[in-house]
Amino acid sequence: MAGIPGLLFLLLLLLLCAVVQVHPYGVHWKPAWPAYRLPVVLPQSTHSLSKPDFVAKAKLEVSSSCGPQCHKGTPLPTYEEVKQYLSYETLYANGSRTETQVGIYILSNGGGGAQRQDSESSGRPRRKRQIYGYDSRFSIFGKDFLLNYPFSTSVKLSTGCTGTLVAEKHVLTAAHCIHDGKTYVKGTQKLRVGFLKPKFKDGGRGANHSTSAIPEKMKFQWIRVKRTHVPKGWIKGNANDIGMDYDYALLELKKPHKRKFMKIGVSPPAKQLPGGRIHFSGYDNDRPGNLVYRFCDIKDETYDLLYQQCDAQPGASGSGVYVRMWKRQQQKWERKIIGIFSGHQWVDMNGSPQDFNVAVRITPLKYAQICYWIKGNYLDCREG
């Protein structure tokens, strides 16, 4: 394994997402998960920071003056800049925190560098609010749905956002749900994650049946968070300047949740997604206590962001954006998280305000980082 010199990194930046296998469309074609050559993101040094004050107000929306065309015109980051953005801060339950600097590597037996590849625009955003015309969201009722995959992977954060189970003890969410770019959100030190469970009266396990016309009563069971990871790309304010590129965070629970989780994956180009469509479920504020599912087409994309018009309200931020594609090695269909719903974004487009709902894409470098946070071993993070 070798480090990437600065000049070489810029060249590798154009090669990373090269797909190992390319299958032409045919009669029996299935939208399959591409095989990527992935980099390695490893910690190099860690030092302690002072305890934060936890005074920020929870933001359930993020604003930016940089839209799709602005992002596509942004210069490629240098190797040192990317290392700084992927460095991260860790907050522990006792209030202590650390900062970790990272190195980016490729494997000597065949790896790749980073790539910034902008895709063609697939449409224009409409000048509407977070509900685009007819409200196409579906509230999910009944334990037979809520407690089963994939809906059971959606959890609620005590700060008001949504998260997704991505490992036995890990939850993926948006960074702005716990950090406003300057300091941590009030309540983050005692952050909890809520799991929907049936609410039984007098021990009556069969009191409410999912086929009943009356929705089953559900309640949240909460688990404390042990520590959180937030990339410095968010904390440094980069996201506030050009968008929400690094608006993601990983939470580690104090104990396993014992539910089926959804793996993360590298986000393929929109044209490779089944129907060019994404899915996600979250706890929208306008439907308290309800898990809300939606799906929609991708309208535009950059290397780091997906622009879409999925109907959503504050509270859905942090939801895992997923797709279902064919896994060639196992010969089966598999859902993977390919992004994190960041929220509603107003963009100044040539002096005219326009709005999008935006998701942060899991790029090869972000995958390598998040996977290492989860597994702690880069050898377990070679398949995106």
Side-chain angles (χ1 to χ4, degrees):
M1 188 168 65
I4 306 175
L7 292 177
L8 178 60
F9 176 78
L10 293 179
L11 296 175
L12 293 175
L13 202 60
L14 303 175
L15 299 175
L16 177 62
C17 286
V19 179
V20 176
Q21 302 175 14
V22 178
H23 291 253
Y25 292 87
V27 176
H28 302 292
W29 176 81
K30 297 176 182 177
W33 288 106
Y36 292 96
R37 298 185 180 98
L38 296 176
V40 174
V41 177
L42 288 177
Q44 287 186 324
S45 63
T46 300
H47 64 273
S48 298
L49 299 174
S50 60
K51 288 189 176 183
D53 49 18
F54 303 102
V55 295
K57 293 183 179 179
K59 288 180 63 176
L60 301 184
E61 287 188 343
V62 180
S63 61
S64 170
S65 59
C66 188
Q69 297 308 315
C70 169
H71 269 272
K72 293 175 183 180
T74 302
L76 291 173
T78 66
Y79 171 60
E80 291 300 325
E81 286 175 334
V82 173
K83 281 207 309 178
Q84 182 61 30
Y85 297 155
L86 291 175
S87 295
Y88 57 92
E89 201 167 284
T90 302
L91 175 70
Y92 297 88
N94 64 3
S96 63
R97 60 175 176 149
T98 58
E99 179 178 312
T100 301
Q101 302 296 320
V102 303
I104 302 172
Y105 306 88
I106 57 175
L107 292 183
S108 57
N109 62 351
Q115 175 196 30
R116 186 166 186 129
Q117 175 181 321
D118 294 336
S119 301
E120 294 295 324
S121 170
S122 60
R124 296 182 179 178
R126 294 173 286 179
R127 286 191 192 177
K128 295 190 178 181
R129 297 193 60 81
Q130 290 171 276
I131 301 301
Y132 297 88
Y134 177 75
D135 190 346
S136 60
R137 296 174 297 162
F138 302 88
S139 290
I140 306 300
F141 296 114
K143 66 180 178 65
D144 287 349
F145 292 103
L146 288 169
L147 302 184
N148 285 316
Y149 190 83
F151 302 117
S152 59
T153 64
S154 295
V155 293
K156 185 175 179 66
L157 273 59
S158 56
T159 53
C161 289
T162 299
T164 307
L165 304 176
V166 292
E168 290 88 350
K169 295 175 64 177
H170 292 89
V171 175
L172 188 63
T173 188
H176 74 259
C177 295
I178 61 174
H179 197 290
D180 72 349
K182 296 180 180 179
T183 188
Y184 286 90
V185 169
K186 184 178 181 181
T188 303
Q189 185 177 357
K190 297 182 179 180
L191 186 64
R192 299 178 301 157
V193 171
F195 297 75
L196 269 183
K197 299 225 171 181
K199 185 177 182 180
F200 300 123
K201 290 184 178 180
D202 301 324
R205 297 186 60 184
N208 291 316
H209 194 272
S210 60
T211 58
S212 171
I214 302 175
E216 251 181 307
K217 295 291 185 181
M218 305 291 285
K219 66 177 182 179
F220 284 104
Q221 183 180 64
W222 300 89
I223 297 179
R224 286 285 300 275
V225 171
K226 179 181 178 180
R227 62 180 174 178
T228 67
H229 297 300
V230 178
K232 295 294 286 185
W234 174 258
I235 296 175
K236 283 179 63 64
N238 175 66
N240 296 325
D241 293 335
I242 64 171
M244 304 106 128
D245 297 10
Y246 293 89
D247 188 12
Y248 60 92
L250 187 75
L251 319 179
E252 182 181 344
L253 304 176
K254 286 195 170 184
K255 63 180 181 179
H257 52 73
K258 299 180 181 179
R259 287 192 180 186
K260 184 177 180 180
F261 56 85
M262 195 178 300
K263 295 179 181 178
I264 61 171
V266 174
S267 173
K271 62 183 179 182
Q272 293 185 19
L273 302 180
R277 184 175 297 157
I278 58 171
H279 310 250
F280 64 94
S281 301
Y283 292 97
D284 300 51
N285 285 359
D286 65 332
R287 301 188 185 183
N290 290 347
L291 180 64
V292 184
Y293 163 75
R294 77 233 64 205
F295 63 90
C296 68
D297 297 340
I298 300 296
K299 295 299 181 182
D300 204 345
E301 63 180 326
T302 66
Y303 178 72
D304 285 292
L305 301 174
L306 294 173
Y307 295 83
Q308 32 77 19
Q309 293 177 326
C310 284
D311 292 327
Q313 289 290 324
S317 294
S319 301
V321 172
Y322 66 89
V323 294
R324 179 176 176 266
M325 299 177 71
W326 183 250
K327 189 80 170 176
R328 293 193 185 97
Q329 295 90 330
Q330 284 77 33
Q331 290 292 294
K332 67 176 183 179
W333 294 97
E334 184 176 23
R335 293 178 179 87
K336 288 185 182 180
I337 302 293
I338 62 167
I340 304 94
F341 179 54
S342 184
H344 183 67
Q345 181 184 28
W346 282 101
V347 174
D348 185 3
M349 302 283 285
N350 299 320
S352 176
Q354 297 189 25
D355 65 339
F356 301 88
N357 279 334
V358 186
V360 178
R361 297 178 72 173
I362 297 180
T363 63
L365 283 168
K366 292 172 187 173
Y367 174 90
Q369 180 190 56
I370 297 169
C371 182
Y372 185 84
W373 285 345
I374 295 172
K375 298 181 180 295
N377 186 347
Y378 74 88
L379 293 175
D380 294 329
C381 301
R382 303 303 301 147
E383 180 186 350

